[in-house]
Amino acid sequence: MAERRMISRKIAEDDRFVDMHPVSKLLYFYLVLNADDDGFVGSVKMINFLTNADQSNYDELLENNLILEPTKNGVYVITDWYAQNKIEPKIYKATEYLSVRALLFIKTNFAYTTNPDEKDVISPVDYWIKQGRDKKTPPEIQAQQYLEQFQETSKKVPRSVEETSKKVLAQNRLDKNRLDKNRLDKSRLEQNRPDQTKKEKINKENNYKYINSSSNGGMGEFLLNDDSSTSSIENNATTENGENSGVNQDTVSSLFNYLNGISTTDIPKDNKRLADVFDMLIHNGYEIEDIQSGIDNIMNVANQMPQYQNEQSLAKLLIQHLPECTKQTLKQSSSND
């Protein structure tokens, strides 16, 4: 732990600070002094003893947005940490509270926030720190760089996201009982005819190809069979009158239920473009658990990105990338076999 920390006059002489109780002011100084290199404080018993602080003093700091408590488990974050302290890269040591840090976002004034919808948010804190805690590049450029990076990496889910976001992975298993039953039934079938099932998977993988068509309403990449016919109902996502085929309506509805069960944003089932994507994948022989795994992979990323926390942007992301993510899921399943 460092022996010296800095406190800005801009913070200490601000009205919100000056008007506080003296014990709350003293508590803030001790929290800053005992914070780690990311501005996190996880053990406060000694601080409480030295300052005679109680919960009301913490509440006062929280109300004035001088500290944050993202998880309500006793780990406090100095809101304006990077506005006051600069830790050289050669001596910087990341906080041990990585699960708490994963819930934070960095703003244009380099203050922490837990609200991804604030207009001046640059990116998640984890990404900003990974890029070197850059305070020299203008925030608007950093925000654009982050957006471009996300658009590129969302095509293939980063392993680091899957490993560090336990909260998101837990959400992806809300429908676990139903998935387990489907997989058990599938496993029993494969045990009865393992060679045939493996051959079918390989043939399915070889028979699919991607096309990027400008005539499909901007829906992005879709999977079609090599021998598909534009007049064949069996090989198209919609019937001749433009409606989803009745055979798949229940399955499409269940996919909407699954998606909305793991997402903080509800996408209506009358979103025809997304329904067409679901229907297209079903018509081309993908199992429901393959499609659900593709949804999982996209949501692992989207749930952490503020720009995908509304219905329109999330639906667009799924329409553009779900076929690719589902295909990757099938590849992984085939290689495991």
Side-chain angles (χ1 to χ4, degrees), residues 33-269:
L33 183 62
N34 286 273
D36 60 27
D37 287 354
D38 283 324
F40 290 64
V41 188
S43 180
V44 298
K45 287 186 177 180
M46 179 58 71
I47 296 176
N48 294 342
F49 174 77
L50 292 173
T51 62
N52 199 30
D54 57 25
Q55 186 59 46
S56 66
N57 301 116
Y58 286 94
D59 291 341
E60 190 170 18
L61 293 176
L62 289 166
E63 289 171 4
N64 285 286
N65 198 34
L66 290 165
I67 63 173
L68 302 171
E69 190 184 10
T71 57
K72 307 300 180 184
N73 65 351
V75 177
Y76 297 96
V77 184
I78 309 300
T79 305
D80 300 291
W81 176 255
Y82 280 107
Q84 302 180 94
N85 288 275
K86 179 180 179 181
I87 314 297
E88 295 297 329
K90 62 182 179 181
I91 62 173
Y92 165 77
K93 183 178 180 182
T95 183
E96 63 182 275
Y97 305 109
L98 295 178
S99 60
V100 178
R101 196 179 75 180
L103 303 176
L104 298 176
F105 298 83
I106 198 77
K107 298 164 62 176
T108 54
N109 62 353
F110 304 107
Y112 288 130
T113 180
T114 57
N115 182 8
D117 296 325
E118 291 191 34
K119 293 182 179 179
D120 53 351
V121 166
I122 298 176
S123 72
V125 169
D126 281 351
Y127 175 86
W128 186 73
I129 290 178
K130 182 180 178 181
Q131 298 303 111
R133 299 175 297 151
D134 184 7
K135 295 176 71 173
K136 296 180 180 180
T137 305
E140 59 273 14
I141 295 179
Q142 292 194 48
Q144 181 62 31
Q145 290 173 343
Y146 169 70
L147 178 60
E148 293 173 355
Q149 175 74 9
F150 170 72
Q151 290 174 341
E152 179 64 27
T153 57
S154 64
K155 297 177 181 179
K156 51 181 181 180
V157 179
R159 183 175 296 276
S160 60
V161 172
E162 296 178 340
E163 292 174 347
T164 59
S165 183
K166 294 181 180 179
K167 179 179 178 180
V168 174
L169 290 176
Q171 291 177 341
N172 290 341
R173 296 182 176 86
L174 289 176
D175 208 10
K176 182 176 182 299
N177 292 335
R178 181 163 56 87
L179 276 176
D180 287 345
K181 183 178 183 301
N182 289 341
R183 287 167 182 161
L184 179 60
D185 293 341
K186 184 179 179 182
S187 176
R188 288 172 177 170
L189 289 174
E190 291 179 350
Q191 289 176 0
N192 293 333
R193 47 175 189 149
D195 294 337
Q196 182 180 354
T197 302
K198 184 174 181 180
K199 182 177 179 181
E200 288 174 355
K201 281 188 175 182
I202 294 174
N203 288 340
K204 185 193 297 182
E205 172 68 19
N206 292 335
N207 286 338
Y208 292 159
K209 68 177 182 179
Y210 275 92
I211 65 168
N212 192 352
S213 173
S214 59
S215 62
N216 58 16
M219 291 175 61
E221 294 179 331
F222 287 109
L223 289 167
L224 294 176
N225 285 330
D226 285 341
D227 57 352
S228 62
S229 170
T230 56
S231 62
S232 171
I233 293 178
E234 292 297 324
N235 290 327
N236 284 286
T238 56
T239 58
E240 292 178 357
N241 61 8
E243 298 294 331
N244 289 338
S245 59
V247 176
N248 292 328
Q249 285 182 355
D250 290 342
T251 307
V252 169
S253 178
S254 71
L255 288 171
F256 271 105
N257 291 337
Y258 180 80
L259 168 62
N260 291 329
I262 64 175
S263 171
T264 57
T265 302
D266 280 347
I267 299 180
K269 295 181 181 179

